[in-house]
Amino acid sequence: MTLLEVRGLTVTYPGGAEAVRGVDLSLAAGRKLGIAGESGCGKSTLALALLRLLPAGTRVGGEILLDGEDILTMRWGRVRAVRWAGASIVFQGAMHSLNPVHRVGDQIAEPMLLHANTTRVAARKRTGELLEHVGLPPARARAYPHELSGGQRQRVMIAMALACDPHLVIADEPTTALDVMIQAQILRLIEQLVSEQELGLIMISHDLAVLADTCDRLAVMYAGRVVEEGPARAVYEAASHPYGKALSAAFPRIGDPASRFAPRGLAGDPPDPSDLPSGCTFHPRCPVALDECAVQDQALREAGQARRAACVHVGAAVPGVAAVQDARSTP
Ligand code: ADP
Ligand code: MG
């Protein structure tokens, strides 16, 4: 069954920035989707839109069906309930998301008391179980956030996200603020927990290698659009879109600190969403752009089995372009 179906999602911030421009996504229950792309490509905007967490005045269009119900047309009361019991988010900076003056156990229990119709005693018991689940001693429930390490705080955030038994967990760069050893542990933990409980997972990262390791499918975002998507391993090992190729070349292995830098061989930054280039938005940085790319935008098209990419070279015979050869040789 389809857990999440996103159709033609657009997000325009009050200043006019078109941060998400027509995204379609589909996620079956129990499956894991990775979303990759450099900073500024609209990944967090997409995640926030899924739970209507965007600032007031932001225009959102399209459809977001979670368990068949459209998030965008729901009443606020329903949205608040869905935020915990339907889908929950693990953000990057756990220190900023946790309240410094409350014990972490109380913070994990709070959504259960508010949204899951639970008694205080039951919530306390469940909090202990959740802490154990994420690899922390139940006694840590009495700790304040500053008494925990960064990794432990992120574990608390994960416990909180799981508290109301959501069907979907959205993890937005959940390990970027953590050191390398801890990153791998936390990612494995998230993957293990969603697998055990057959939850859907959307894992956002700029690191393709990490996503290839934890997700079934992978979508690559550029300038507010999905420019490539397909089976995670296949996209990581042989991307079809020149942007996907540049991203995967930049991340040779999980946890490599050098992987924080811009994609190798790709100068510049993603465009400003309030001042997008004409044609294919990637053309000013693209090593294989043709003249027509400055004029003509490309829709996603078939790029091998269960794969799609939005590039003029995909599915077209252009002799001498390595991008095309690679795209073809990968089924
Ligand atoms: P990512 O998560 O991929 O780094 P974001 O979704 O955070 O990307 O940002 C996408 C674009 O939207 C960026 O250009 C960013 O500057 C812009 N943006 C993000 N939040 C706001 C906001 N509240 N108001 C205006 N523009 C924003
Ligand atoms: Mg982000």
Side-chain angles (χ1 to χ4, degrees), residues 59-72:
R59 275 180 291 137
V60 183
E63 277 182 323
I64 300 171
L65 303 171
L66 181 67
D67 290 317
E69 242 185 308
D70 191 352
I71 302 268
L72 294 180

Side-chain angles (χ1 to χ4, degrees), residues 223-238:
R225 286 229 177 125
V226 173
V227 295
E228 163 147 27
E229 58 109 12
R233 275 270 140 216
V235 172
Y236 174 56
E237 279 162 14

Side-chain angles (χ1 to χ4, degrees), residues 13 19 38-45 55 273:
Y13 282 112
E38 284 164 284
S39 191
C41 284
K43 306 180 302 295
S44 293
T45 303

Side-chain angles (χ1 to χ4, degrees), residues 298-312:
Q298 300 296 323
L300 281 170
R301 64 182 75 168
E302 201 178 311
Q305 204 172 4
R307 297 181 61 169
R308 296 188 303 158
C311 174
V312 69

Side-chain angles (χ1 to χ4, degrees), residues 20-84:
V20 174
R21 303 179 304 124
V23 166
D24 299 312
L25 292 175
S26 176
L27 183 70
R31 304 310 297 245
K32 301 169 206 136
L33 171 70
I35 299 181
E38 284 164 284
S39 191
C41 284
K43 306 180 302 295
S44 293
T45 303
L46 171 64
L48 295 171
L50 295 180
L51 289 180
R52 277 174 64 182
L53 291 166
L54 290 163
T58 306
R59 275 180 291 137
V60 183
E63 277 182 323
I64 300 171
L65 303 171
L66 181 67
D67 290 317
E69 242 185 308
D70 191 352
I71 302 268
L72 294 180
T73 56
M74 262 175 206
R75 296 167 56 181
W76 276 109
R78 180 73 193 130
V79 172
R80 275 190 282 271
V82 163
R83 272 186 197 157
W84 291 99

Side-chain angles (χ1 to χ4, degrees), residues 43-44 92 172-173 204:
K43 306 180 302 295
S44 293
Q92 159 180 155
D172 186 1
E173 311 252 11
I204 296 175

